[in-house]
Amino acid sequence: MELNTRQREAAHAGPAPLLILAGAGTGKTNTLAHRVAHLVLRGTAPERILLLTFTRRAALEMTRRANRIVAEVKKEVRLPWSGTFHSIANRLIRKHAKRIGLAESFSVLDRGDAADLMDIVRHERGLSKSEKRFPRKDTCLSIYSHRVNTQRPLPETLSLMFPWCADWEGELTGLFRAYVEKKIQNQALDYDDLLLYWHAMMQDEALAAEIGARFDHVLVDEYQDTNILQAEILLKLKPTGEGVTVVGDDAQAIYSFRAATVENIRGFEKQYQATVVPLEENYRSTQQILDAANALIGKSLYSRKKLGAKPRYVTVADDEGQAQYVVTRVLEARERGVLLRNQAVLFRASHHSDLLELELVRRNIPYVKYGGLKFLEAAHVKDMLAVLRWADNPQNRVTAFRALQLLPGVGPAGAARTFTRFESDAYAWSTLQTGAADLNALLQYLAEAPWQGQVQRVREWYLPHLERIYDAAQVRAGDLQQLEKIAGQFGDRATFLTEMALDPPQATGDLSGEPYLDEDYLVLSTVHSAKGQEWESVHILNVADGNFPSEFSTGRAELIDEERRLLYVAMTRAKSELHVIAPLKYYVAAQSRMGDRHVYGAKSRFMTQAVLACMEPVAWGEAAAPEDVVVSGGRVDVASRLRGMWT
């Protein structure tokens, strides 16, 4: 794709600090890829370019596009330092491991393993037997993660994000201190530690200068999603800003719950005295959709796609009417030739699609949902990975406990005894006594054999246990075959396990082709999971106060602003059709429908006059002629309704 004037200005800019403010759908990936290619063609060695992204897929796509551009005038290039913040951190930590007191073979815990380790420490400290209910392991891990990534004191983190846990400040401090000690003892880093260690390394002036000197240019994608640690790492890498390019959109900053701060991108120009290049020509949506999005957020995006229908603001009676409306419109669009997979239904929270999913099943409409359980969170997948992770790091107590408890009759106490004996024998595989000769032999094989074929060997060992432990073993076995295919794309076990922890696939199809669902399927997704995607037609559910914005975000102005940005992200996923749906009432619980217990939904505060002026109002189904009231002689007969309540 050729560059427009602004894109070309950004791609060809000099080495001075540069901020590319790329609005939704304005071709930021193409622009950044051209900038990488331009640097290479102007003589920068590819190995001296550091490209930081937020997903492995984004890094691969950026590299692929840059290669295609460069290949037009010279041979293919490799960008060895292209990857996510966490994967680059992992490489640098391993490179300098001895210098910072780590073994090069340290393990990276995924979130599930980290939560299990937190639970072990929680239990050891007697917190699982408290008289008052102590936070569960996942909540403890979330508190820990938010505190370290924001660098806020624990009392502030608790007050702002976890007020119901504030009474446990002292116990949580002790828990987190013991958790850190346990990780050091196990030579294991969790996901957050990768940034913490990199950040700590950059506080040493000599080491920071050494790492910074490796790179002439540092490019950061999605800069609005960075947290304070990442911003400070960037500053230590290039204190003057020379060679730094960041790309992002402050209007798409929607990850504060992951400790991202929009202030990083808003303060970049002043901090680095940077040149700012705004990208405002949108290549995705019609102007009618952009008019509504601009009115919502205060941007100036424009499109050459002038023809199109106004977005619809659809009022429906309730969530059942909402489901009926969506299914009706989706099938109508399909008849017009819009494939199901080119249509999406987006929602603020995963459970908002519950009733719609029931209707899709009833109408035999296939769909895929993003924002729920991820592939690697499935218990049977984690079981198989635990065996591989233990083989990779014999000191990894968490994965050892999971692997040992796959054996019949082995519980936590038995696993602890086995691991303690193994630990006293200096973690020598030849001394391991699990009580299962086949597991002993498997682990010794994994310690010595080449990588190719290891996952197949583990899968074959695990299948009898899968059939014994879980229902629907045949279906689950298909996931394990997909995991084996994914593993085949990596050159060694350590890289495979690290990448699975740092950037896990959303589903089995992410790294091994499209998941088989049907000839076609509708996409259901939370808005957070939809960021970066696009569809011809988009339906947004439950755009009413309490849902959009979420009731949990109405207490602080900065959270309301983020909710507005979240709706903006949802609206700008649409290419040609946009349906914003507002139910008039919500049932309190599914079982209460017989009694008609419900609350009325207030119009979303984001649906201002300016936004609604850009939309076509539609009342659909019961919302067009409500059955709650009796109309007689042009007047609303409320008295009859009140009398009827007591007959």
Side-chain angles (χ1 to χ4, degrees):
M1 183 174 113
E2 292 188 5
L3 301 181
N4 62 36
T5 303
R6 289 288 198 186
Q7 290 173 331
R8 192 176 302 108
E9 179 185 350
H12 295 178
L18 175 66
L19 167 60
I20 305 173
L21 270 180
T26 56
K28 75 169 181 64
T29 302
N30 192 47
T31 304
L32 194 56
H34 271 83
R35 177 151 183 76
V36 171
H38 178 74
L39 293 173
V40 173
L41 293 173
R42 291 291 297 268
T44 302
E47 63 272 15
R48 296 193 61 79
I49 295 174
L50 174 60
L51 176 60
L52 294 165
T53 64
F54 277 84
T55 67
R56 179 175 177 273
R57 178 171 283 183
L60 291 173
E61 174 63 13
M62 203 77 70
T63 304
R64 185 185 66 79
R65 291 199 193 190
N67 264 325
R68 191 180 65 214
I69 298 161
V70 172
E72 294 178 5
V73 292
K74 62 186 294 186
K75 66 181 182 179
E76 182 179 350
V77 297
R78 214 171 57 85
L79 295 172
W81 288 96
S82 169
T84 66
F85 267 96
H86 291 81
S87 67
I88 296 297
N90 173 67
R91 288 178 60 188
L92 289 171
I93 294 166
R94 290 190 192 278
K95 184 174 181 62
H96 300 282
K98 291 181 180 177
R99 198 161 166 181
I100 57 176
L102 281 174
E104 290 182 27
S105 61
F106 67 83
S107 295
V108 178
L109 304 174
D110 67 13
R111 185 172 178 83
D113 289 341
D116 288 343
L117 183 59
M118 182 75 77
D119 207 31
I120 289 172
V121 180
R122 181 175 170 271
H123 183 70
E124 288 176 351
R125 296 181 67 82
L127 296 171
S128 56
K129 297 179 180 178
S130 303
E131 290 184 14
K132 290 174 62 181
R133 182 172 61 90
F134 190 77
R136 294 177 66 86
K137 62 180 182 180
D138 289 309
T139 302
C140 291
L141 189 63
S142 295
I143 295 170
Y144 173 86
S145 180
H146 198 274
R147 184 258 177 272
V148 300
N149 281 295
T150 60
Q151 294 290 285
R152 288 176 177 154
L154 181 59
E156 187 178 339
T157 291
L158 292 173
S159 173
L160 288 174
M161 303 299 296
F162 305 90
W164 62 94
C165 301
D167 290 345
W168 295 104
E169 180 192 330
E171 290 82 355
L172 286 167
T173 299
L175 172 66
F176 297 153
R177 189 183 301 118
Y179 172 64
V180 169
E181 288 296 334
K182 187 74 75 173
K183 286 186 294 182
I184 293 171
Q185 177 187 333
N186 289 354
Q187 286 289 298
L189 275 62
D190 65 23
Y191 191 72
D192 299 315
D193 287 333
L194 293 165
L195 287 187
L196 281 175
Y197 271 74
W198 190 6
H199 183 265
M201 287 161 59
M202 301 305 285
Q203 305 314 302
D204 182 278
E205 289 188 12
L207 188 52
E210 182 181 330
I211 294 172
R214 296 182 67 94
F215 309 110
D216 295 328
H217 289 271
V218 181
L219 299 93
V220 185
D221 191 19
E222 305 285 12
Y223 193 65
Q224 78 280 349
D225 295 336
T226 54
N227 61 32
I228 191 168
L229 288 175
Q230 290 160 324
E232 290 181 358
I233 287 169
L234 181 64
L235 183 60
K236 292 290 186 179
L237 275 170
K238 295 293 176 186
T240 67
E242 186 80 358
V244 173
T245 298
V246 301
V247 183
D249 181 8
D250 59 329
Q252 295 187 71
I254 60 173
Y255 292 115
S256 68
F257 66 94
R258 294 183 188 165
T261 172
V262 69
E263 298 309 316
N264 284 349
I265 193 167
R266 288 178 175 170
F268 184 87
E269 178 184 4
K270 183 177 180 181
Q271 182 179 23
Y272 288 93
Q273 300 300 303
T275 300
V276 180
V277 179
L279 304 183
E280 295 179 322
E281 182 175 354
N282 178 287
Y283 294 93
R284 175 187 299 150
S285 307
T286 63
Q287 190 61 52
Q288 288 77 4
I289 291 172
L290 294 180
D291 287 342
N294 287 337
L296 172 71
I297 207 73
K299 290 289 184 180
S300 304
L301 298 182
Y302 64 91
S303 172
R304 299 183 188 185
K305 299 179 180 179
K306 303 299 182 185
L307 299 177
K310 278 187 172 184
R312 286 182 152 205
Y313 178 71
V314 185
T315 50
V316 295
D318 52 23
D319 50 0
E320 187 172 341
Q322 179 172 247
Q324 294 291 342
Y325 175 82
V326 170
V327 170
T328 300
R329 294 303 180 198
V330 163
L331 292 177
E332 285 178 359
R334 182 173 178 270
E335 289 304 309
R336 295 197 308 269
V338 182
L339 294 173
L340 290 178
R341 60 178 175 269
N342 288 336
Q343 304 181 59
V345 183
L346 307 182
F347 30 85
R348 174 65 182 82
S350 184
H351 67 271
H352 286 174
S353 67
D354 287 352
L355 200 70
L356 173 61
E357 291 180 58
L358 292 174
E359 184 63 17
L360 291 171
V361 171
R362 191 181 73 80
R363 301 280 286 272
N364 197 29
I365 299 173
Y367 68 90
V368 62
K369 183 177 180 180
Y370 297 103
L373 184 69
K374 304 294 189 295
F375 175 47
L376 294 191
E377 292 171 2
H380 53 291
V381 176
K382 288 182 67 65
D383 287 346
M384 201 161 116
L385 286 172
V387 177
L388 289 162
R389 286 195 171 113
W390 189 19
D392 203 56
N393 178 4
Q395 295 174 248
N396 192 330
R397 178 183 293 264
V398 175
T399 54
F401 271 38
R402 186 173 193 120
L404 288 167
Q405 290 180 74
L406 296 175
L407 300 174
V410 177
R417 286 194 299 271
T418 299
F419 189 81
T420 299
R421 286 197 304 270
F422 180 54
E423 190 176 36
S424 65
D425 289 327
Y427 307 104
W429 292 117
S430 59
T431 67
L432 181 65
Q433 298 176 17
T434 66
D438 57 343
L439 178 57
N440 299 347
L442 174 67
L443 288 165
Q444 288 192 56
Y445 164 81
L446 295 176
E448 301 166 359
W451 163 237
Q452 296 304 323
Q454 285 193 20
V455 180
Q456 179 183 349
R457 183 77 174 263
V458 175
R459 182 175 61 82
E460 290 170 349
W461 172 85
Y462 176 62
L463 281 176
H465 301 287
L466 175 74
E467 293 169 356
R468 175 175 51 82
I469 298 170
Y470 298 109
D471 295 328
Q474 190 172 1
V475 175
R476 293 173 187 262
D479 288 341
L480 304 182
Q481 289 177 327
Q482 292 289 356
L483 186 67
E484 187 178 331
K485 289 181 183 177
I486 293 170
Q489 300 176 29
F490 294 88
D492 59 76
R493 183 176 62 206
T495 304
F496 166 66
L497 293 173
T498 300
E499 287 297 331
M500 290 300 98
L502 299 185
D503 193 22
Q506 298 281 319
T508 54
D510 262 20
L511 297 179
S512 57
E514 287 296 323
Y516 174 75
L517 294 163
D518 205 301
E519 60 176 1
D520 198 8
Y521 48 86
L522 180 67
V523 177
L524 274 55
S525 177
T526 61
V527 182
H528 285 102
S529 295
K531 188 168 174 288
Q533 305 298 312
E534 61 184 32
W535 296 274
E536 284 295 330
S537 176
V538 169
H539 296 76
I540 309 174
L541 303 185
N542 295 331
V543 184
D545 256 33
N547 289 316
F548 238 133
S550 166
E551 61 181 315
F552 301 111
S553 301
T554 53
R556 287 160 48 200
E558 65 269 25
L559 293 182
I560 289 291
D561 288 343
E562 181 161 330
E563 292 287 309
R564 186 188 305 276
R565 297 193 294 267
L566 194 62
L567 182 57
Y568 170 77
V569 167
M571 291 170 66
T572 52
R573 300 310 95 196
K575 293 182 178 180
S576 56
E577 284 187 24
L578 175 62
H579 306 257
V580 175
I581 310 171
L584 297 179
K585 60 186 177 183
Y586 295 86
Y587 289 95
V588 176
Q591 64 267 31
S592 68
R593 289 178 182 279
M594 296 295 290
D596 197 33
R597 289 181 54 211
H598 59 267
V599 294
Y600 285 94
K603 186 173 75 174
S604 171
R605 67 192 71 187
F606 301 146
M607 292 293 103
T608 62
Q609 287 187 341
V611 174
L612 291 174
C614 301
M615 302 180 121
E616 176 191 353
V618 176
W620 194 84
E622 291 184 30
E627 296 178 0
D628 314 90
V629 294
V630 179
V631 180
S632 176
R635 290 163 45 185
V636 180
D637 190 354
V638 178
S640 295
R641 172 83 181 208
L642 295 177
R643 293 188 190 101
M645 292 172 62
W646 305 103
T647 56

